[in-house]
């Protein structure tokens, strides 16, 4: 990947990586750190990365970084506070279904959450998601199906879907 | 005999069921006599393990989704919304939904709502992430520095004596007669002359002084010599003047002008082996003739930039400023035609 391709990747994918990180971490500062770290890692290896595969590589790197942050923050017990301080979603009533879906998303296991985010936000196929999350396509399919059921059950539980 | 002092040994075996029958009777009789030593029954009850159930077994299990025909209706609806069905399968799902109860229709609609819409979330620090391509300038700069150094180094009469002399302070007696200075001598530009002696007016005066021609009288202290020799009367002051370019009489020249300098690529960069090869001349060690800065620059260019050679060609018997020359350092080329 050339410097130009790398800089294009920044323009094209940094928003997506940032969104992916924000949705996982519920903290814009932590998400910013993940984006910086992700692109720094990709830059270190940019000469060995094909331009066509940079998006997948970026999301894989971001996903790993996100999991690291989650583990670290869970250990320090900061994630719960972050949840409330940064995003305000826990106590702010959501009157639109997307807001409730965001809350529902946070109840999913990380792997299902990632699969759904990559599917819905980035439009990845099962194979591409499998590549990013280091699973196989069948697993991804199962995770997404389970996630859909969980999301629907959550919305039903809070009477959004009557 | 069982006593208060040793009863525990027997009691432990008794509780474990390992006590001999005759001792069992004796112990039981002992405990009747000493009821305070008897262990409470609830203490002896076996500890019941707390039942802890992991309720996420289903999440750990992996079962690939079956083919469409074998799928539950709920999974078929999800598959429909996921867009992974063939047109025929989609029609089948729609037909099923249409034909069934309102509850099934609602389920179909509910699953349509569990898809996230990407929020507009722009990352604001993109500029910090971008990188610039690195242009390695230093080889070119080093080459240019070396070229300039070479230019100044060769801007002397090549016939002069020890080459390091022009950066050694040179003592001349300005009061010497100029019998050795004739018009045959080659005139070279004076690059720098410095003096601390206030009696020596300026470089122009010194230049004319060395030429043996009509001289501008510095401060009116000199007069013409009819014999053509120096009549300089600047009084008896010996001045320390570092002179880079001056005229050396032919009589004093005993070195054939340098015509070409070439340092092949494979030349060992060890200064002691850097040699200037003069055609038809003795070899001179590089460090003897190169100023330290130039020597350093030449080494840097050759060593770091992997430049093949430093090559200098100049017109015979001419200084660089007068004759044609061509300096090549790698791809950098300076020439005067």
């Amino acid at each position: 990947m050339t410097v130009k391709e790398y800089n294009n990747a920044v323009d094209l994918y940094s928003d997506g990586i940032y969104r992916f990180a924000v949705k996982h971490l519920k903290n814009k500062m932590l998400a910013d750190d993940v984006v910086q770290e992700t692109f720094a890692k990709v830059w270190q290896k940019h000469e060995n990365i094909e331009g066509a595969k940079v998006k997948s590589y970026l999301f894989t790197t971001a996903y790993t970084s996100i999991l690291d942050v989650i583990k670290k923050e869970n250990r320090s017990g900061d994630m719960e506070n972050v949840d409330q301080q940064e995003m305000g979603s826990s106590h702010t009533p959501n009157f639109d279904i997307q807001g409730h879906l965001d809350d529902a998303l946070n109840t999913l296991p990380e792997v299902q959450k990632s699969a759904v985010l990559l599917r819905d936000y980035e439009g990845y196929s099962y194979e591409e998601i499998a590549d990013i999350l280091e699973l196989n396509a069948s697993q991804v399919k199962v995770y997404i199906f389970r996630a859909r059921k969980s999301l629907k059950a959550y919305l039903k539980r809070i009477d959004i879907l009557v | 005999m069982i006593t208060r002092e040793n009863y525990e040994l027997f009691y432990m075996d008794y509780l474990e069921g390992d006590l001999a029958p005759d001792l069992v009777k004796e112990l039981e009789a002992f405990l009747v006599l000493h009821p305070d030593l008897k262990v409470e029954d609830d203490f002896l009850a076996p500890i019941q393990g707390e039942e802890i159930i992991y309720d996420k077994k289903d999440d750990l299990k992996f079962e690939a989704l079956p083919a469409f025909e074998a799928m539950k209706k709920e999974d078929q609806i999800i598959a429909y919304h996921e867009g992974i069905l063939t047109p025929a399968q989609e029609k089948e799902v729609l037909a099923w939904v249409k034909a069934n109860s309102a509850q099934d229709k609602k389920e179909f609609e509910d699953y349509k709502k569990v898809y996230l819409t990407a929020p507009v979330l722009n990352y604001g620090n993109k500029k910090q992430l971008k990188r610039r391509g690195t242009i390695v300038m230093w080889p070119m700069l080093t080459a240019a520095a070396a070229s300039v150094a070479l230019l100044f180094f060769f801007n002397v009469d090549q016939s002069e004596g020890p080459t390091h002399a022009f950066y050694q302070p040179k003592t001349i007696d300005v009061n010497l007669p100029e019998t050795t200075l004739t018009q045959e001598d080659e005139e070279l530009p004076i690059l720098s002359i410095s003096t601390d002696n206030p009696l020596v007016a300026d470089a122009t005066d010194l230049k004319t002084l060395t030429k043996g021609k009509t001289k501008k009288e510095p401060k009116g202290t000199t007069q013409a010599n009819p014999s053509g020799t120096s009549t300089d009367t600047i009084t008896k002051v010996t001045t320390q003047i570092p002179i880079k370019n001056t005229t050396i009489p032919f009589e004093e020249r005993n070195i054939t002008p340098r015509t070409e300098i070439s340092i092949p690529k494979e030349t060992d960069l060890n200064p002691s082996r850097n040699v200037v090869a003069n055609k038809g001349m003795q070899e001179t060690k590089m460090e003897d003739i190169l100023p330290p800065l130039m020597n350093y620059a030449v080494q840097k260019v050759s060593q770091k930039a992997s430049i093949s050679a430093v090559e200098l060609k100049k017109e015979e018997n001419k200084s660089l400023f007068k004759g044609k020359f061509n300096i090549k350092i790698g791809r950098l080329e300076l020439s005067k035609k």
Side-chain angles (χ1 to χ4, degrees):
Chain A
M1 182 171 60
T2 62
V3 176
K4 193 179 174 185
E5 285 173 326
Y6 169 85
N7 286 335
N8 281 341
V10 171
D11 284 332
L12 290 172
Y13 307 127
S14 60
D15 289 339
I17 299 286
Y18 183 56
R19 189 169 53 207
F20 187 58
V22 164
K23 288 293 170 186
H24 271 284
L25 301 172
K26 296 151 277 178
N27 179 320
K28 289 183 177 175
M29 279 176 63
L30 289 175
D32 188 15
D33 289 346
V34 166
V35 176
Q36 302 268 356
E37 189 181 327
T38 298
F39 277 93
K41 282 179 182 173
V42 169
W43 172 252
Q44 279 178 349
K45 296 180 180 175
H46 77 280
E47 286 172 353
N48 304 323
I49 300 170
E50 289 177 40
K53 291 188 175 176
V54 65
K55 187 180 178 188
S56 166
Y57 197 92
L58 280 166
F59 274 96
T60 304
T61 310
Y63 179 65
T64 311
S65 298
I66 287 166
L67 290 183
D68 289 344
V69 172
I70 288 171
K71 281 177 195 166
K72 191 177 161 189
E73 296 297 321
N74 278 343
R75 268 202 297 274
S76 62
D78 289 345
M79 279 309 261
E80 289 166 15
N81 295 334
V82 161
D83 197 356
Q84 293 167 15
Q85 289 165 8
E86 291 289 328
M87 307 304 287
S89 59
S90 295
H91 298 294
T92 307
N94 290 308
F95 297 106
D96 65 310
I97 200 161
Q98 284 298 319
H100 289 296
L101 272 176
D102 273 349
D103 292 345
L105 197 65
N106 294 328
T107 65
L108 298 178
E110 290 301 330
V111 66
Q112 289 184 23
K113 189 171 167 180
S114 295
V116 168
L117 286 173
L118 290 170
R119 180 83 176 158
D120 290 0
Y121 285 180
E122 306 302 326
Y124 273 127
S125 67
Y126 294 144
E127 287 75 18
E128 287 169 324
I129 296 169
D131 198 31
I132 291 169
L133 303 183
E134 296 175 342
L135 302 168
N136 64 49
S138 298
Q139 282 175 303
V140 170
K141 192 174 173 184
V142 168
Y143 284 139
I144 286 178
F145 273 57
R146 284 180 185 170
R148 299 287 181 216
K149 288 176 188 174
S150 298
L151 292 175
K152 178 174 163 282
Y154 181 92
L155 295 181
K156 210 161 194 171
R157 203 160 52 241
I158 60 169
D159 295 336
I160 297 297
L161 303 176
V162 183
Chain B
M1 181 180 173
I2 299 172
T3 64
R4 289 187 78 92
E5 284 71 37
N6 65 7
Y7 84 97
E8 283 173 322
L9 287 172
F10 298 100
Y11 204 0
M12 291 299 288
D13 287 344
Y14 172 77
L15 293 174
E16 294 290 325
D18 294 336
L19 198 64
D22 53 331
L23 288 174
V24 168
K25 284 184 181 174
E26 188 178 341
L27 180 67
E28 285 174 350
F30 173 80
L31 289 174
V32 170
L33 290 173
H34 304 89
D36 58 307
L37 299 179
K38 194 172 181 182
V39 178
E40 297 293 331
D41 286 343
D42 56 349
F43 183 78
L44 297 174
I47 297 168
Q48 296 292 327
E50 184 186 353
E51 192 174 1
I52 300 173
I53 296 169
Y54 184 70
D55 57 357
K56 294 180 181 173
K57 293 189 187 79
D58 288 342
D59 291 344
L60 299 178
K61 289 176 188 170
F62 176 74
E63 289 175 19
L65 288 167
F68 175 78
E69 291 74 20
M71 274 184 185
K72 296 175 191 169
K73 283 298 168 198
E74 186 180 18
D75 288 337
Q76 285 185 351
I77 291 171
I78 295 171
Y80 176 87
H81 290 300
E82 284 288 307
I84 57 173
L85 299 180
T86 62
Q89 290 168 340
E90 285 182 356
K91 275 185 185 174
E92 190 178 327
V93 172
L94 289 174
W96 176 83
V97 171
K98 202 173 179 181
N100 278 280
S101 64
Q103 184 61 31
D104 294 328
K105 285 175 189 165
K106 188 175 180 309
E107 183 149 315
F108 182 83
E109 290 302 317
D110 285 350
Y111 270 113
K112 198 189 280 183
K113 294 173 186 169
V114 296
Y115 285 79
L116 297 161
T117 307
V120 179
L121 207 57
N122 292 323
Y123 183 65
N125 297 327
K126 285 179 189 170
K127 277 188 181 177
Q128 290 178 11
L129 298 176
K130 290 187 178 178
R131 310 276 175 161
R132 287 181 184 174
T134 307
I135 300 169
V136 181
M137 290 293 291
W138 65 263
M140 284 176 269
L141 293 173
T142 317
S147 304
V148 172
L150 277 169
L151 193 65
F152 279 95
F153 169 67
F154 285 105
N155 184 30
V156 293
D157 191 331
Q158 299 300 309
S159 61
E160 66 181 300
T163 50
H164 58 273
F166 41 72
Y167 42 88
Q168 295 290 331
K170 196 171 184 177
T171 303
I172 60 167
D173 188 347
V174 295
N175 209 24
L176 283 175
E178 293 192 350
T179 50
T180 57
L181 302 176
T182 68
Q183 289 188 359
E184 294 170 22
D185 296 331
E186 186 177 339
E187 182 182 343
L188 293 171
I190 296 173
L191 291 181
S192 64
I193 294 178
S194 64
T195 176
D196 294 325
N197 192 330
L199 290 173
V200 180
D202 54 34
T204 311
D205 293 336
L206 283 167
K207 186 181 176 185
T208 50
L209 180 69
T210 57
K211 283 164 72 176
K213 294 180 182 175
T214 305
K215 298 172 182 65
K216 186 180 175 183
E217 306 282 336
K219 310 284 186 189
T221 55
T222 58
Q223 63 182 45
N225 186 338
S227 66
T229 57
S230 175
T231 56
D232 193 346
T233 56
I234 300 180
T235 43
K236 311 199 175 202
V237 176
T238 298
T239 310
Q240 294 289 328
I241 309 172
I243 298 176
K244 285 197 173 181
N245 290 309
T246 186
T247 305
I248 307 297
F250 273 114
E251 292 84 345
E252 294 177 17
R253 300 175 186 175
N254 58 357
I255 299 173
T256 309
R258 190 178 295 122
T259 54
E260 184 172 344
I261 291 178
S262 175
I263 304 169
K265 183 181 181 181
E266 57 275 13
T267 299
D268 188 339
L269 290 167
N270 183 345
S272 65
R273 294 190 60 193
N274 275 338
V275 167
V276 174
N278 296 322
K279 279 185 180 172
M281 289 181 57
Q282 78 275 17
E283 291 182 342
T284 308
K285 283 185 177 177
M286 181 70 89
E287 66 267 32
D288 289 336
I289 62 163
L290 296 182
L293 175 63
M294 181 191 159
N295 198 12
Y296 174 78
V298 168
Q299 281 189 45
K300 280 288 177 192
V301 169
S302 303
Q303 196 175 27
K304 299 268 179 147
S306 304
I307 288 172
S308 58
V310 177
E311 186 181 312
L312 187 142
K313 289 179 182 172
K314 66 183 284 295
E315 207 171 354
E316 281 192 36
N317 298 324
K318 297 274 187 179
S319 67
L320 280 181
F321 277 5
K322 286 203 159 189
K324 297 173 184 175
F325 67 85
N326 187 41
I327 302 172
K328 276 187 181 176
I329 302 176
R331 285 186 295 176
L332 185 74
E333 188 171 344
L334 295 174
S335 62
K336 180 185 165 196
K337 306 273 180 178

